Amino acid sequence: MITYYSFFRNGSPILLALTALLTACGTDETNYAVPDEICDTPIAPDTLQALLPSGEQLEAAPSSVSIVMTCEVKVDAKLHIDITGFAVLGARDPSEHARSLRLENPVEENWGPDIPAVLADDGAVVSLPCGAGDGTDAMLAEIHVYGDHMPEDERRGRVTDFTRSYVTGLAEQLNCDARPATTGSP
């Protein structure tokens, strides 16, 4: 004879313990400090935090190769933001550059006099009329954002906010006269 026991009467303590264990293992805690500067460029920390997942350790490491400067932002050794800055002679058209990157849903904006931008769901390209002090007279910033930890409907706004913060900080760092406007115009 087989005896059946009610799950609700005898199995509920097991189910409660399993739920508590899974909840404890699945917490989305951010245990790293979000800086107000990455790769020597000031940014608004909340715009950076909005692009990053939870994790234990944040790294932002600059490197410089000739007239190309890069910055990688990692959480727990996983790449989440990749920034490349090109110091150039003569302004570059960011829309032309963005076409070769195959960004998701790119939209062109104008952030001020001579500051064209291309914004997308997964990155941005912005031209800043200011050189790096080495004979160049313009910077082209290329930003890529990776991961699926953000709500899809908020992703573009978060990328735009971070890009505006980063380019503003880059303009300050390079002592440029040009600064992005506080809001874009289509």
Side-chain angles (χ1 to χ4, degrees):
M1 171 177 232
I2 299 175
T3 305
Y4 294 96
Y5 294 99
S6 170
F7 174 77
F8 293 106
R9 190 178 81 206
N10 295 326
S12 59
I14 295 170
L15 181 60
L16 288 173
L18 183 59
T19 302
L21 180 63
L22 291 175
T23 302
C25 293
T27 59
D28 289 331
E29 288 187 31
T30 298
N31 293 322
Y32 54 82
V34 180
D36 60 0
E37 182 178 285
I38 57 170
C39 303
D40 301 323
T41 301
I43 51 121
D46 57 327
T47 65
L48 175 61
Q49 178 64 52
L51 293 178
L52 299 176
S54 59
E56 297 295 319
Q57 181 180 5
L58 174 74
E59 302 170 51
S63 62
S64 182
V65 181
S66 184
I67 61 169
V68 177
M69 292 144 295
T70 64
C71 179
E72 294 182 340
V73 179
K74 298 177 181 180
V75 174
D76 297 338
K78 184 176 179 184
L79 181 66
H80 285 278
I81 303 172
D82 183 16
I83 303 169
T84 306
F86 302 94
V88 295
L89 287 170
R92 295 274 171 98
D93 180 6
S95 59
E96 182 179 312
H97 188 77
R99 276 193 284 281
S100 67
L101 300 176
R102 303 187 195 279
L103 295 172
E104 289 180 35
N105 305 313
V107 174
E108 294 180 29
E109 287 191 6
N110 183 5
W111 283 3
D114 301 319
I115 306 178
V118 175
L119 303 163
D121 295 345
D122 59 345
V125 180
V126 180
S127 181
L128 182 65
C130 182
D134 58 357
T136 60
D137 61 2
M139 286 293 293
L140 188 68
E142 176 184 316
I143 298 172
H144 297 274
V145 178
Y146 307 103
D148 59 0
H149 54 277
M150 289 177 261
E152 194 170 320
D153 61 336
E154 296 177 14
R155 190 173 177 88
R156 178 185 295 270
R158 291 182 182 193
V159 169
T160 300
D161 291 345
F162 172 77
T163 301
R164 188 177 304 280
S165 174
Y166 183 81
V167 172
T168 299
L170 185 62
E172 290 172 10
Q173 176 190 1
L174 297 174
N175 200 23
C176 302
D177 291 333
R179 297 285 198 282
T182 55
T183 59
S185 58

